[in-house]
Amino acid sequence: MNADAGRFAAIDIGTVTCRMLIADVLGDRVVPVAKGYEIVNLGEGVDATGVLKPEAMERVAGAVDRYLEVRASCDAPDHPVLSTTVMATSAARDAENADEFADLLARRGLELAVIPGEKEAALSFRGASADFACSDEGEPPMILVVDVGGGSTELIAGRAGGEPVRAQSFDVGCRRVTERFLSADPLDAEEMARARAWMRDLFDGFFAREDLPPIARMIAVAGTATTVVSIREEMAVYDSDCVHGSRVSLDELRAINARLSALPLEGRERVVGLDPKRAPVICAGLAILEEVMGAGGFGEFTVSESDILQGMVLEAARREARP
């Protein structure tokens, strides 16, 4: 590691997944050292009850305990982990007992930040946009970063490598949509149509704003988008290098969603490239991506493995560098 670089850890606790990144940061470069990913479904039932279930919080705690063991193995005297940032998003924002969850992590020496949607959007944009800042024309392109989560979806527009010029967080996520609209197995076309109409009204408003600049490229981050490539390429073993930078057309997305929607849950769980624990919510996630593309007039999107985790470690490095 370069002597000027710092090592940082970040844990992102979403509605569906709990993920970790330990990385060395040099300027705007993020070099991963270790990663972790587990589906924990923290947001199970939150949309209806407004409360985090004890068993869901314990699932997160178990994942975090494993991540802390990984952090300890990366915390060398000559290259220490300078800080560990822990953030929770939609499910914790909606929960009345988020303080109880924060106390659970505090007993592990971790300070939980339950961040608003605007903060989530800014961090996702910073993490995702840096890789797309180069352009043949010299000026970085105007991009839209789309972050489909379990409880919310963030749309963030701005010039790659710069700051967002327009961002909005919607309470539209793959778990929220599934629990609110989709009860049939296999999926019912009328239920899905109602779900699509609901989210379409919301997304149309974002793209109708006159202050939204022309977008050259749509970048999709997080598990729904990466899963599309994993299924398309039939990845028995997930390959992040293959996924990052892959392009997915709207026709390909629709075909994959149609295929999965026709299967019962048990059949989706056996699809190569799809984490079985993501099978209950994947069709809602794909529908969200479809509706964003339709509202924005995009014929394809590019998948980025860089997202809020990279944004979190970059922000931590910036704080460390301040006098």
Side-chain angles (χ1 to χ4, degrees), residues 177-178 181-184 187-200 257 260-261 280-288 290-291:
V177 169
T178 300
F181 292 97
L182 309 178
S183 60
L187 297 180
D188 178 77
E190 291 186 4
E191 290 182 346
M192 180 59 81
R194 286 194 291 272
R196 287 179 180 273
W198 173 67
M199 64 180 80
R200 189 178 303 129
N257 201 7
L260 297 182
S261 296
V281 298
I282 186 61
C283 293
L286 299 180
I288 293 169
E290 283 187 50
E291 294 304 325

Side-chain angles (χ1 to χ4, degrees), residues 69-314:
E69 292 178 4
V70 176
R71 185 188 67 176
S73 70
C74 298
D75 190 19
D78 53 341
H79 299 312
V81 177
L82 298 177
S83 68
T84 301
T85 304
V86 185
M87 292 183 177
T89 54
S90 179
R93 284 197 296 266
D94 294 347
E96 299 172 4
N97 59 339
D99 288 347
E100 181 183 343
F101 182 49
D103 290 342
L104 186 67
L105 297 180
R107 294 198 290 272
R108 290 160 169 81
L110 299 171
E111 181 180 357
L112 176 67
V114 180
I115 60 173
E118 294 76 15
K119 175 75 168 179
E120 183 180 359
L123 289 171
S124 293
F125 186 82
R126 185 172 189 194
S129 70
D131 288 346
F132 301 92
C134 296
S135 171
D136 294 338
E137 292 78 21
E139 186 177 34
M142 192 67 68
I143 63 172
L144 178 76
V145 173
V146 180
D147 184 351
V148 177
S152 67
T153 291
E154 283 68 47
L155 304 184
I156 319 104
R159 205 162 288 286
E163 297 296 323
V165 298
R166 179 139 195 264
Q168 189 168 348
S169 180
F170 298 86
D171 285 336
V172 180
C174 59
R175 173 159 288 282
R176 192 187 301 272
V177 169
T178 300
E179 292 185 357
R180 188 173 291 191
F181 292 97
L182 309 178
S183 60
D185 182 28
L187 297 180
D188 178 77
E190 291 186 4
E191 290 182 346
M192 180 59 81
R194 286 194 291 272
R196 287 179 180 273
W198 173 67
M199 64 180 80
R200 189 178 303 129
D201 286 343
L202 298 172
F203 297 145
D204 281 346
F206 178 89
F207 292 102
R209 288 280 297 268
E210 293 182 357
D211 60 349
L212 183 70
I215 304 297
R217 193 173 190 181
M218 172 174 157
I219 311 296
V221 302
T224 295
T226 59
T227 296
V228 175
V229 180
S230 182
I231 293 173
R232 184 185 68 184
E233 304 302 326
E234 298 183 340
M235 293 183 181
V237 178
Y238 187 80
D239 183 350
S240 60
D241 291 335
C242 176
V243 170
H244 184 67
S246 292
R247 296 191 176 199
V248 178
S249 71
L250 179 56
D251 287 342
E252 287 176 318
L253 177 62
R254 286 172 172 163
I256 290 172
N257 201 7
R259 172 191 164 199
L260 297 182
S261 296
L263 296 173
L265 176 59
E266 183 180 2
R268 293 198 298 274
E269 290 174 339
R270 295 196 297 268
V271 170
V272 177
L274 173 61
D275 186 328
K277 292 182 179 180
R278 192 178 289 277
V281 298
I282 186 61
C283 293
L286 299 180
I288 293 169
L289 275 178
E290 283 187 50
E291 294 304 325
V292 171
M293 295 179 77
F298 299 104
E300 68 171 22
F301 65 86
T302 303
V303 180
S304 173
E305 279 273 320
S306 299
D307 54 23
I308 190 172
L309 283 169
Q310 282 74 10
M312 289 166 66
V313 297
L314 285 167

